[in-house]
Amino acid sequence: VGTAITAAGFGVTIRDGAGGHLDSCTVTGRHGGILLTSRADPEVTGCTVTRGEGNGIYVTGGARGTFVACTVTDTAQPGIAIDGGADPVLRGCQVRGGDSYGIWVDEDALGLIEDCKISDTQGYGLYVTRGGSPTVRATSVTGARQGGIAVTGGRGTFDDCLVRGVGGTGITVGPHGDPAIRRAVISDVGGHGIDIAADGRGTFDDCVVSRVAEGCHGVRIEGHPLLRRCTISELPGAGVFLTTSGRGQIEDCLITGTGQAAVCLHGGTDGTNRYSARFGALLEPIGAASAASYTAPADAADMPAAAEAPVTEEEPQSELDRLLAELAELIGLDRVKLEVGDLVKLVMVSKQRERAGLPAPPLSRHLVFAGNPGTGKTTVARLYGQILAALGMLTKGHLVEVSRVDLVGEYVGHTAPKTQAAFERARGGVLFIDEAYMLSAGGDEFGREAIGTLVKLMEDHRDEVIVVVAGYLDEMERFLAVNPGLASRFTRTITFEDYSSEDLVTIITGQASRLRYEFAAGCFEALLTHFAAIPRDRNFGNARSARVALERMIQRQARRMALLTEPTRDQLVELLPGDIPSDDPVRAVR
């Protein structure tokens, strides 16, 4: 309580399921402020973290933790980073300043972010990516230079949020982003109010958008969103602007005070001068917004009037196709994709045989995922559950990630209820047990009790929950030998091989592109050399090694930029071979 903590690494590290309480402390660490990992679950209240080269707060490895009224200022990396399936609670916290994002939710992390304030960051105020799915309530983003909220490859629910005075777009939905946003207020932003990229989705209910930058629009659409009961006003451009690929639906919206048309359909001409976009319910009058009309851009005056333009009746992509495409787009993992694809085909054939009145073939849906950390096991498990839900084999398809600390009790009679509670949370979806071999380590009777309870639940509810156990290959083989019921229920092991150096270069290139950085000549060759030098042992971080390398490159570039009075845009986005860390890289976590 009330302690000033300064350290060369992280100021405070809490791991291995530990709890505890940290109250009114000031934390400064060179590599970061507070690190929670390996299922840690402490309470942190009224603490201040400032001026670190890493994250102010970093929650990973399935950790939880409750942070109340904490303040993070002036960090080089995201003020608060949540990844690796973590699920913390942030309530009444503030993130101010810093060279990166305010809050970053990544790698299938969840989390509750409530009544928080994010201000004056260089990056987005709140960035969600790669399966992240937080619950965000009554949170504000102001003064963020890059933009307000961005969701790319993630989901999440966002209720009653405020985005105001940011340097870029208010809310950005990138490829494969699919957030549910309700009652957001977006105003006085330096870009579009809302921008949905190609392959982006999302629902926007009862949102208010006003006052965007000159030449920008209230809502710009390349993807396929749903807008309901939104108010869009006081804009220099269009209320809603659709690009050639934009599709979607708008219901009961009010669009007023626009410099261009209320709805501007840019269209595509495919050589026939006919519009080719689809915009769902806008084909019919929509209440107060009935004055909205399709309008061609200024350079398309020779096209026929938009009101006469036919609409292409294109069938939307099915949920199953979308999920299979998302699986196919994962970098590397060729063997994993093949085996999961075979499982999907087997499930589909089983359904077809049932419809034909034939007996279904034997099908064990429970899986062992074996491999080193950072190889995408959690991501694939999440997609596997969603794919089975799309096929009708699961009712929900959600993922519940647990480890030993979530299943094993502290005293006799406590383990079975804990294991059953975790199993119940996964009903209709996937129970993902990370480092499952820890249940059988050292002949622990409590761990064996959890295994026995799990085996019985899998038998009693065989069609309701998919169980995926994950860990190192050798340890998982020993784990299955502990209980005869395990081996009979886990008949398929999918091995996740380490990423090659070429895969890691592809991963880091994608990460850099999302952050609007570009690699100079020579970087790719230097990165290949850098990743090839990392030992491929059990401590190899895989995709996290790529992320750490990029973070260090960005830090080194920032040092170069600090020496320039007024760097150009090209200088601000360019990363040089000399920015690649030459020391031994961090291989697992930041």
Side-chain angles (χ1 to χ4, degrees):
V1 177
T3 303
I5 302 170
T6 302
F10 275 92
V12 176
T13 299
I14 304 174
R15 61 175 69 245
D16 299 329
H21 191 87
L22 203 65
D23 191 359
S24 303
C25 296
T26 301
V27 183
T28 303
R30 180 179 176 185
H31 291 165
I34 300 173
L35 169 64
L36 269 56
T37 186
S38 303
R39 303 288 167 181
D41 190 12
E43 295 181 8
V44 183
T45 304
C47 291
T48 299
V49 183
T50 185
R51 295 187 301 279
E53 292 184 8
N55 308 117
I57 296 171
Y58 180 24
V59 188
T60 186
R64 294 179 179 174
T66 300
F67 297 83
V68 178
C70 294
T71 300
V72 176
T73 61
D74 301 323
T75 58
Q77 299 301 331
I80 300 175
I82 307 168
D83 68 14
D87 188 12
V89 173
L90 309 176
R91 186 173 286 118
C93 296
Q94 296 187 47
V95 180
R96 298 198 298 264
D99 298 330
S100 185
Y101 306 132
I103 300 177
W104 185 347
V105 183
D106 190 15
E107 289 184 349
D108 300 299
L110 302 174
L112 170 63
I113 302 170
E114 188 171 50
D115 294 318
C116 293
K117 295 181 180 179
I118 306 165
S119 61
D120 302 320
T121 59
Q122 290 296 308
Y124 289 107
L126 175 57
Y127 190 91
V128 180
T129 185
R130 293 196 302 177
S133 186
T135 299
V136 184
R137 301 175 187 153
T139 290
S140 66
V141 179
T142 58
R145 183 171 180 180
Q146 189 172 1
I149 297 171
V151 182
T152 298
R155 299 192 178 193
T157 60
F158 302 77
D159 294 341
D160 304 296
C161 293
L162 169 68
V163 177
R164 179 174 292 161
V166 299
T169 292
I171 296 178
T172 300
V173 179
H176 306 297
D178 191 11
I181 299 178
R182 297 182 288 255
R183 299 178 301 279
V185 176
I186 305 147
S187 68
D188 303 290
V189 299
H192 306 293
I194 298 170
D195 191 358
I196 297 96
D199 296 321
R201 295 177 181 268
T203 58
F204 297 81
D205 292 317
D206 303 291
C207 296
V208 176
V209 179
S210 64
R211 299 189 298 278
V212 302
E214 192 65 33
C216 293
H217 312 292
V219 182
R220 179 183 176 276
I221 298 174
E222 284 187 81
H224 315 139
L226 169 61
L227 311 177
R228 290 181 293 211
R229 301 178 304 278
C230 295
T231 300
I232 305 170
S233 63
E234 299 181 60
L235 306 166
V240 177
F241 183 94
L242 287 97
T243 66
T244 303
S245 62
R247 294 189 295 154
Q249 188 171 352
I250 182 168
E251 298 176 1
D252 300 320
C253 293
L254 174 63
I255 305 175
T256 63
T258 59
Q260 298 179 25
V263 177
C264 183
L265 177 61
H266 195 287
T269 63
D270 66 14
T272 65
N273 287 339
R274 304 297 291 256
Y275 289 108
S276 59
R278 175 187 180 190
F279 201 52
L282 256 185
L283 297 177
E284 301 295 334
I286 50 173
S290 59
S293 61
Y294 292 130
T295 302
D299 59 357
D302 59 332
M303 296 182 186
E308 300 173 3
V311 173
T312 301
E313 287 299 329
E314 179 183 334
E315 287 297 321
Q317 185 184 35
S318 73
E319 180 69 2
L320 178 60
D321 289 342
R322 184 186 70 79
L323 292 167
L324 292 174
E326 186 175 345
L327 176 66
E329 288 169 5
L330 295 177
I331 295 169
L333 304 179
D334 292 340
R335 179 176 173 182
V336 172
K337 294 173 189 175
L338 178 62
E339 295 205 42
V340 173
D342 287 345
L343 281 171
V344 171
K345 293 182 181 73
L346 186 58
V347 171
M348 294 175 72
V349 169
S350 177
K351 300 281 285 187
Q352 291 168 344
R353 285 178 62 89
E354 287 181 7
R355 288 195 293 269
L358 299 171
L363 178 62
S364 176
R365 298 173 294 176
H366 308 300
L367 301 174
V368 178
F369 283 1
N372 284 334
T375 46
K377 294 188 288 293
T378 306
T379 298
V380 173
R382 173 181 59 83
L383 284 170
Y384 181 54
Q386 293 175 353
I387 288 169
L388 292 185
L391 288 168
M393 302 295 286
L394 289 172
T395 57
K396 297 179 181 177
H398 65 297
L399 180 80
V400 174
E401 183 179 1
V402 298
S403 66
R404 174 188 168 89
V405 71
D406 302 294
L407 303 177
V408 174
E410 299 175 358
Y411 49 84
V412 175
H414 191 208
T415 294
K418 284 191 72 172
T419 302
Q420 185 161 359
F423 196 90
E424 287 294 328
R425 292 200 305 274
R427 281 280 188 102
V430 174
L431 180 65
F432 182 85
I433 307 177
D434 196 17
E435 297 181 335
Y437 54 85
M438 293 299 294
L439 293 172
S440 60
D444 177 23
E445 290 302 319
F446 287 174
R448 291 178 182 271
E449 181 184 358
I451 293 172
T453 303
L454 183 66
V455 168
K456 185 176 187 308
L457 289 170
M458 291 170 66
E459 178 63 28
D460 293 345
H461 307 280
R462 65 179 66 185
D463 296 326
E464 299 177 64
V465 176
I466 301 297
V467 180
V468 177
V469 292
Y472 297 108
L473 179 59
D474 292 343
E475 282 83 345
M476 293 308 297
E477 290 177 351
R478 289 193 288 270
F479 167 71
L480 294 179
V482 168
N483 184 305
L486 286 176
S488 65
R489 285 163 179 79
F490 293 98
T491 59
R492 184 185 291 261
T493 296
I494 297 180
T495 302
F496 287 66
E497 297 176 348
D498 289 331
Y499 287 115
S500 67
S501 298
E502 290 77 9
D503 289 336
L504 293 174
V505 171
T506 303
I507 290 170
I508 197 174
T509 300
Q511 293 173 345
S513 177
R514 287 193 293 272
L515 296 173
R516 305 290 178 86
Y517 285 99
E518 299 173 1
F519 289 130
C523 272
F524 296 107
E525 294 78 6
L527 282 168
L528 281 172
T529 301
H530 171 77
F531 290 128
I534 303 177
R536 273 15 181 216
D537 56 22
R538 63 186 294 141
N539 296 316
F540 179 47
N542 282 288
R544 291 176 185 171
S545 296
R547 185 186 63 204
V548 171
L550 178 61
E551 289 175 355
R552 291 188 174 185
M553 291 181 71
I554 291 172
Q555 180 61 54
R556 292 187 177 202
Q557 190 240 32
R559 292 172 186 164
R560 291 192 289 105
M561 295 301 101
L563 301 176
L564 304 177
T565 304
E566 192 64 38
T568 66
R569 184 188 183 281
D570 289 344
Q571 290 172 321
L572 288 169
V573 303
E574 186 176 50
L575 297 173
L576 304 177
D579 295 326
I580 298 171
S582 56
D583 55 342
D584 289 336
V586 177
R587 293 180 292 174
V589 299
R590 304 174 206 251

